[in-house]
Amino acid sequence: MRIDKFLWSIRFYKTRSIAAEEIKKNRVSIGTSAVKSSKEVKEGDIIKIRKNQIDYKIKVIQIPKSRIGAKLVSLHIQDVTDKEQYELLKLRKMSQDYYRNKGEGRPTKKDRRDMDDYVGNDIDADFTDWDDFFGETGDESESED
């Protein structure tokens, strides 16, 4: 099976075209050599993939006939990625949370309403004399003369 189709079928990439693009950018290799999309994958091959700034290594156990479900992936590949790579990923995720915690930022509509209820309105809701509010008087006809 072609390597782009294999990576798509084991759900490493969402589409086959994305897998082909990543292969073209030399982010996928078998052994120590970079490969083309048409490279055939065999059982026992170790594939190195650079994704999300992490170097993944997977060993091919079995070649699937077509795209498989997520629960069946472990029957076809074995993850042999170094533990240090996963620790790097964990550190990167923690450092992103440092700058902006989840839920912070621009308030939602509900948050704004809660703040308005807490602060309260200075103007009564029943206020209907808009002329007095805006400082207008009823003497507009005299000023035109």
Side-chain angles (χ1 to χ4, degrees):
M1 177 181 282
R2 294 170 52 111
I3 191 163
D4 59 345
K5 189 173 182 180
F6 176 77
L7 293 173
W8 166 77
S9 66
I10 62 166
R11 297 181 172 270
F12 213 87
Y13 292 107
K14 191 172 184 177
T15 65
R16 189 171 168 187
S17 60
I18 293 172
E21 284 177 26
E22 295 297 306
I23 292 168
K24 224 180 252 186
K25 293 176 183 175
N26 293 328
R27 294 184 181 156
V28 178
S29 61
I30 295 178
T32 57
S33 61
V35 295
K36 292 185 178 179
S37 297
S38 60
K39 173 75 174 169
E40 290 291 321
V41 177
K42 301 174 200 138
E43 294 177 5
D45 284 345
I46 294 182
I47 302 172
K48 296 176 186 169
I49 304 162
R50 179 95 172 145
K51 184 178 178 184
N52 297 331
Q53 299 177 345
I54 302 288
D55 293 324
Y56 294 96
K57 287 183 187 176
I58 58 173
K59 183 177 181 181
V60 180
I61 298 172
Q62 192 177 6
I63 307 289
K65 289 186 170 51
S66 63
R67 190 164 168 97
I68 56 174
K71 291 182 179 180
L72 301 175
V73 170
S74 60
L75 299 174
H76 297 277
I77 64 166
Q78 179 184 4
D79 187 14
V80 291
T81 307
D82 299 332
K83 302 273 189 230
E84 300 144 5
Q85 296 294 323
Y86 287 117
E87 290 174 10
L88 283 173
L89 182 64
K90 195 178 195 181
L91 287 172
R92 284 193 185 106
K93 284 186 179 180
M94 287 173 56
S95 66
Q96 288 175 350
D97 291 342
Y98 173 75
Y99 294 111
R100 184 180 177 276
N101 291 328
K102 189 172 184 178
E104 287 186 2
R106 186 173 177 192
T108 63
K109 199 173 200 178
K110 184 183 182 315
D111 293 337
R112 183 187 52 80
R113 287 179 181 152
D114 290 342
M115 286 188 286
D116 287 347
D117 289 342
Y118 180 73
V119 172
N121 293 333
D122 293 336
I123 302 171
D124 286 331
D126 297 331
F127 188 75
T128 55
D129 193 2
W130 294 106
D131 292 336
D132 287 342
F133 178 74
F134 289 111
E136 296 178 6
T137 60
D139 299 333
E140 292 178 17
S141 58
E142 294 176 8
S143 62
E144 290 178 9
D145 290 7

